[in-house]
């Protein structure tokens, strides 16, 4: 039967993409935590996160690969008949604005 294989260059690009995604994961997790912290009850309907996922840089299978990998930060819970992504741990250091962060940084440099 006929078969198809990737060229060496395509394989290298696929490996680079995998490496780049792995390096971006901590930033994605932080941004998702910040998004949940912006919500009054620290949860967002899962369908909303799925809709915004590409804009946030989340992988399409984030609820299967990212959420279970970080149970200390995220949980999927049923709320009013809908699955929601909930924040498990509030981190006050993430609740600073960029201006506040710069101010704190300057204070530590003195």
């Amino acid at each position: 039967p006929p078969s198809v294989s990737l060229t060496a260059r395509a394989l290298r690009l696929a490996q680079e993409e995998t490496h780049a995604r792995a390096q971006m994961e901590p930033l994605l997790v932080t941004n998702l935590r910040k998004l949940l912290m912006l919500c009054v009850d620290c949860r967002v309907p899962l369908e909303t996160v799925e809709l915004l996922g590409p804009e946030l840089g989340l992988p399409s299978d984030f609820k299967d690969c990212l959420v279970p990998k970080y149970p200390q930060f995220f949980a999927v819970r049923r709320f009013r008949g809908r699955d929601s992504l909930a924040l498990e741990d509030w981190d006050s250091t993430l609740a600073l604005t960029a201006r506040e962060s710069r101010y704190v940084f300057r204070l530590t440099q003195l």
Side-chain angles (χ1 to χ4, degrees):
S3 65
V4 177
S5 62
L6 296 175
T7 64
R9 182 174 181 217
L11 284 171
R12 190 173 57 253
L13 283 173
Q15 289 172 342
E16 287 176 13
E17 181 182 6
T18 301
H19 180 70
R21 286 187 185 273
Q23 286 184 316
M24 287 297 298
E25 189 171 290
L27 180 62
L28 294 175
V29 169
T30 299
N31 287 344
L32 192 53
R33 290 171 66 198
K34 286 181 179 182
L35 174 69
L36 292 170
M37 288 173 69
L38 287 172
C39 301
V40 174
D41 53 3
C42 294
R43 72 175 160 253
V44 175
L46 202 52
E47 61 194 34
T48 302
V49 180
E50 289 171 340
L51 183 67
L52 293 173
E55 301 298 323
L56 298 172
L58 295 173
S60 58
D61 61 345
F62 78 94
K63 65 182 174 188
D64 298 321
C65 68
L66 201 60
V67 172
K69 193 172 179 180
Y70 297 94
Q72 70 273 28
F73 300 137
F74 310 115
V76 176
R77 295 208 180 96
R78 200 101 174 120
F79 183 72
R80 294 187 181 167
R82 295 168 50 181
D83 284 339
S84 295
L85 184 64
L87 183 68
E88 288 293 294
D89 182 45
W90 181 273
D91 185 352
S92 296
T93 63
L94 297 178
L96 295 175
T97 64
R99 187 176 193 175
E100 290 169 324
S101 295
R102 285 191 301 269
Y103 178 74
V104 169
F105 177 76
R106 286 185 192 137
L107 287 178
T108 60
Q109 298 302 311
L110 296 177

